[in-house]
Amino acid sequence: MCGIVGLYLKKPELEGQLGKLFEPMLEAMTDRGPDSAGFAIYGDEVADGWVKLTLQSTEADYGWKHLMGSLEGRLGCSLDWFQNASAAVLKVNCEEDRARAALADLAPDVRIMSAGQSIEILKGMGLPKEISERFGLANMKGSHIIGHTRMATESAVTMEGSHPFSTGADLCLVHNGSLSNHSRLRQELKRQGITFETENDTEVAAGYLTWRLQQGDSLKEALDHSLEDLDGFFTFAIGTRNGFAVIRDPIACKPAILAETDDYVAMASEYQALASLPGIDKAKVWEPEPATLYIWERA
């Protein structure tokens, strides 16, 4: 089952409305995924030389302030941060590897959900409405966002097992479907240096894209290769720093719908998730073709 939604705003002046427009889209997918939900939002970029990391704890009252004080002392560089429910968004003026190493030492129980210059990933167990309210989705700003509501099939219902998954800078993926060769691919990718934190097949798909990009592929080339190397049924929505992409497997048995106006591009597993968008009655609406890449990016 599972539900996928995505929204890409073409006009910067609309970015203050991103969360408000997206919240009903995510919640419309509740019947397709009632056990957990999450989203990746892009915006509030940090400058070159800085990295932004989304950190999450299973403890609602985790001591973020103490951790950030210890982290600043360890790294000896400027940082900024803010808390959002069980998560914290950290902006730090150092290399990502240094920040990750320090966090692994100081707070091994904290999960790094995403890293890059733009991305923030927030997710957890519960109904989509609960996740929206927990993280204040309606008030968020940004250029684009993708989300997922989960009905678990391949792994346990946990915060870590919910989508989106990110295995590379500003890159994330959500997935409706299942991969039949994820165990073999996981082992092959581990030998190539890709690390995994869950047994979820979607994380393998995300890791595969990260590996292909590391080999020098463009996003289009990486997704073309995925059609050859990933066995199973899937609809993917992929977020990048500059935009998002949608692709279905060659059989395309997992549903997807796209809509485009002069103001936005939106996608969902079902049309009902698009019905609340302004101007949807005048939008170009279509079902994405099998094994065909659709991508929208800022110049």
Side-chain angles (χ1 to χ4, degrees), residues 5-250:
V5 280
L7 182 61
Y8 172 83
L9 299 179
K10 295 180 177 181
K11 298 179 179 179
E13 58 266 30
L14 298 175
E15 293 183 4
Q17 303 177 44
L18 183 65
K20 183 179 179 180
L21 292 170
F22 186 76
E23 183 181 53
M25 295 175 63
L26 186 71
E27 294 178 7
M29 290 290 94
T30 298
D31 288 345
R32 295 190 64 88
D35 63 50
S36 57
F39 55 90
I41 187 167
Y42 291 82
D44 187 26
E45 291 199 357
V46 297
D48 291 343
W50 288 65
V51 63
K52 180 165 71 167
L53 302 102
T54 315
L55 314 176
Q56 203 157 338
S57 171
T58 55
E59 299 176 26
D61 58 348
Y62 187 84
W64 294 112
K65 186 176 181 179
H66 175 74
L67 172 59
M68 296 305 169
S70 300
L71 186 63
E72 187 170 27
R74 174 70 62 88
L75 294 174
C77 60
S78 300
L79 64 80
D80 189 17
W81 70 280
F82 62 89
Q83 182 176 351
N84 186 347
S86 58
V89 177
L90 166 66
K91 305 172 184 178
V92 59
N93 185 17
C94 75
E95 300 83 2
E96 179 184 333
D97 289 348
R98 281 191 64 212
R100 283 183 176 273
L103 285 165
D105 186 37
L106 294 170
D109 53 334
V110 165
R111 294 275 187 171
I112 299 176
M113 295 292 161
S114 63
Q117 288 187 274
S118 179
I119 190 174
E120 297 172 26
I121 288 182
L122 299 162
K123 59 184 181 178
M125 294 178 291
L127 293 170
K129 182 176 178 61
E130 295 170 357
I131 303 303
S132 296
E133 293 177 349
R134 184 182 306 165
F135 295 114
L137 172 57
N139 296 319
M140 290 187 171
K141 303 175 183 180
S143 55
H144 54 293
I145 185 170
I146 63 172
H148 185 272
T149 65
R150 185 171 185 236
M151 185 176 290
T153 55
E154 293 295 330
S155 58
V157 179
T158 62
M159 177 190 73
E160 296 85 358
S162 56
H163 302 208
F165 283 96
S166 179
T167 53
D170 287 312
L171 177 73
C172 73
L173 181 144
V174 296
H175 171 207
N176 176 22
S178 61
L179 301 178
S180 57
N181 63 337
H182 64 93
S183 294
R184 176 180 60 79
L185 271 178
R186 184 190 304 273
Q187 297 307 314
E188 292 178 3
L189 292 169
K190 282 182 177 179
R191 288 193 287 271
Q192 299 298 326
I194 303 297
T195 59
F196 298 97
E197 296 186 359
T198 75
E199 295 302 312
N200 194 293
D201 60 335
T202 305
E203 189 179 16
V204 174
Y208 174 84
L209 291 183
T210 296
W211 173 67
R212 293 295 330 183
L213 293 171
Q214 288 176 353
Q215 303 310 300
D217 280 6
S218 66
L219 179 60
K220 180 183 185 305
E221 291 167 337
L223 288 168
D224 284 342
H225 282 296
S226 76
L227 294 171
E228 302 169 1
D229 294 338
L230 301 181
D231 292 334
F233 305 116
F234 56 82
T235 293
F236 292 148
I238 302 97
T240 71
R241 182 182 176 186
N242 293 321
F244 91 110
V246 176
I247 194 168
R248 304 168 79 190
D249 68 78

